[in-house]
Amino acid sequence: MELEMEGLKPAAVYVTSPTYHGICSNLSEISRMCHSQGIPLIVDEAHGAHLGFHSQFPCSALQQGADLVVQSTHKVLCSLQQSSMLHMSGNLVDRGRICRCLQTIQSTSPSYLLLASLDAARSHLSENPEGILEKALKIAVEAKDMIEKLPGVSVLGFQSFPKFPAIDPLRLTIGFEQLGLSGHDAYEILYKDHEIVGELVGTRCITFAFNLGSSREHVQRLVSGLKHIVSSPAFIQGDKRRKKHVDSAPFADIRTSLIPRDAFFKSKRKMSIENCIGEVCGELICPYPPGIPAMIPGETITERALNYLLDVRSKGAIIVGASDPQLSSIVVCNS
Ligand SMILES: Cc1ncc(COP(=O)(O)O)c(C=O)c1O
């Protein structure tokens, strides 16, 4: 409505669904609203290449009327890393224009290895989709049932997201806040002591992905690792020291002093973190997870952004993009 008042119309609506944690948006409703205005719906379905291939999975974005859908086939199905698919449906999006856009960014040397792996993944799934995904689904449901009964940990479920229509049953997110542990603390124990590999480790939780290769043995190892954590008083005491609430990312009060292009070409210097509040940031600083930059070149460095970065770093997040990943210094623009 705000755009309409300025005489403008949105070019498209862009939604990420499912999220990394498996939360699915109501794409049927969103696509219906978009199409009533003649606007295409673009969906980042990076984590949902398997959706719609089993009766107990949420519907895929294409099934719900999306116009352009990009899927990381390598994430959930078994194609080689870096192989993705762009799907198009309907006639709201100009296919010729999409092809021309892709030509401007694509290599002229396609990788037949990646293309063949995409075709193999497609063929594998199309042979017997329900059967292939059934085992992974069963194992994921069993794991959730067992883990929900453990004291001190929580399992992400519908009750946390009542407005969202579905959660991918192959994603399992376990929270450790009641134990006072960050996801990174818990992961260190699970990884080092039990050789358990998670999909996404965060400040509050760990997300696990079930897939075609998941087995009962994996679930048993995960459950016994979690039992080890919840039954160990040492971890629970550690919690009390760490109970400080994690501030959310400081995206609401961003101040831009220079556009990123100007900041890119500015001369720069390294500055100790204690002195850099109010300076113009000269690098992209991105804690992972969530993988969203907390600062980009050209933004004024605020105390809130710095506190957020230091907090997530102290809980074990990896800082990507910064010249000093320990964050004792930050590159700033010269005035
Ligand atoms: C929501 C989402 N979209 C896109 C991507 C990037 O996908 P790809 O690795 O296929 O480039 C990721 C990567 O984790 C993601 O989480």
Side-chain angles (χ1 to χ4, degrees):
M1 248 186 32
E2 280 167 31
L3 284 178
E4 262 175 30
M5 271 154 53
E6 291 172 31
L8 299 169
K9 183 181 164 185
V13 169
Y14 183 89
V15 178
T16 296
S17 177
T19 64
Y20 213 147
H21 304 93
I23 315 291
C24 299
S25 293
N26 188 344
L27 297 176
S28 304
E29 184 59 16
I30 300 172
S31 68
R32 195 191 55 73
M33 284 168 67
C34 289
H35 295 164
S36 71
Q37 303 291 319
I39 300 166
L41 172 63
I42 305 172
V43 180
D44 174 348
E45 201 176 43
H47 295 278
H50 60 304
L51 297 187
F53 283 104
H54 190 289
S55 54
Q56 287 180 47
F57 289 171
C59 292
S60 70
L62 278 184
Q63 287 167 332
Q64 295 184 74
D67 300 274
L68 270 184
V69 180
V70 62
Q71 294 177 333
S72 301
T73 316
H74 62 94
K75 286 195 202 299
V76 193
L77 305 179
C78 295
S79 63
L80 291 177
Q81 189 123 4
Q82 290 192 2
S83 59
S84 305
M85 291 193 191
L86 176 65
H87 302 279
M88 279 191 250
S89 176
N91 51 18
L92 268 179
V93 178
D94 177 347
R95 282 159 196 256
R97 191 160 176 224
I98 294 285
C99 293
R100 287 195 299 281
C101 291
L102 284 173
Q103 271 169 11
T104 63
I105 52 169
Q106 271 179 342
S107 161
T108 51
S109 314
S111 163
Y112 292 105
L113 206 58
L114 295 184
L115 290 175
S117 85
L118 280 173
D119 199 30
R122 181 209 52 75
S123 156
H124 181 221
L125 191 63
S126 63
E127 277 166 22
N128 173 17
E130 286 261 336
I132 285 173
L133 294 161
E134 181 67 25
K135 184 177 156 222
L137 179 65
K138 256 195 184 152
I139 288 174
V141 171
E142 280 173 23
K144 275 181 206 177
D145 285 349
M146 282 193 263
I147 294 165
E148 265 166 354
K149 294 192 183 94
L150 296 177
V153 293
S154 57
V155 172
L156 184 75
F158 278 119
Q159 69 285 359
S160 316
F161 295 92
K163 290 195 177 143
F164 288 79
I167 297 188
D168 177 3
L170 297 189
R171 290 284 151 109
L172 166 64
T173 297
I174 304 173
F176 297 90
E177 273 191 308
Q178 292 170 53
L179 295 174
L181 296 177
S182 74
H184 298 281
D185 296 330
Y187 190 61
E188 205 178 308
I189 301 157
L190 291 174
Y191 183 71
K192 285 201 182 141
D193 298 353
H194 301 272
E195 297 180 344
I196 291 166
V197 178
E199 171 70 27
L200 180 71
V201 185
T203 48
R204 299 173 192 211
C205 53
I206 306 175
T207 299
F208 295 91
F210 290 86
N211 210 325
L212 308 185
S214 303
S215 70
R216 288 225 159 74
E217 191 269 319
H218 297 149
V219 174
Q220 278 155 9
R221 198 142 32 105
L222 176 59
V223 172
S224 73
L226 291 169
K227 281 185 177 163
H228 171 207
I229 291 178
V230 301
S231 62
S232 171
F235 303 140
I236 294 165
Q237 273 165 18
D239 157 14
K240 300 241 160 61
R241 273 182 282 121
R242 293 167 176 274
K243 206 118 198 180
K244 200 180 121 225
H245 180 67
V246 183
D247 198 6
S248 56
F251 300 125
D253 58 358
I254 287 168
R255 272 182 292 139
T256 304
S257 306
L258 294 172
I259 59 167
R261 183 180 193 281
D262 290 346
F264 182 87
F265 288 110
K266 271 263 173 195
S267 64
K268 302 185 183 68
R269 67 192 187 287
K270 259 193 178 183
M271 202 168 204
S272 144
I273 191 142
E274 290 90 41
N275 302 325
C276 65
I277 293 171
E279 298 286 336
V280 179
C281 188
E283 58 185 349
L284 184 142
I285 307 179
C286 179
Y288 187 87
I292 301 167
M295 282 182 216
I296 63 164
E299 281 176 14
T300 305
I301 301 172
T302 61
E303 191 175 358
R304 195 166 160 220
L306 269 190
N307 287 343
Y308 165 73
L309 279 169
L310 293 173
D311 185 43
V312 292
R313 195 213 55 191
S314 75
K315 290 184 168 70
I318 298 163
I319 308 294
V320 187
S323 54
D324 173 4
Q326 295 309 313
L327 288 184
S328 15
S329 62
I330 287 184
V331 170
V332 300
C333 296
N334 290 332
S335 42

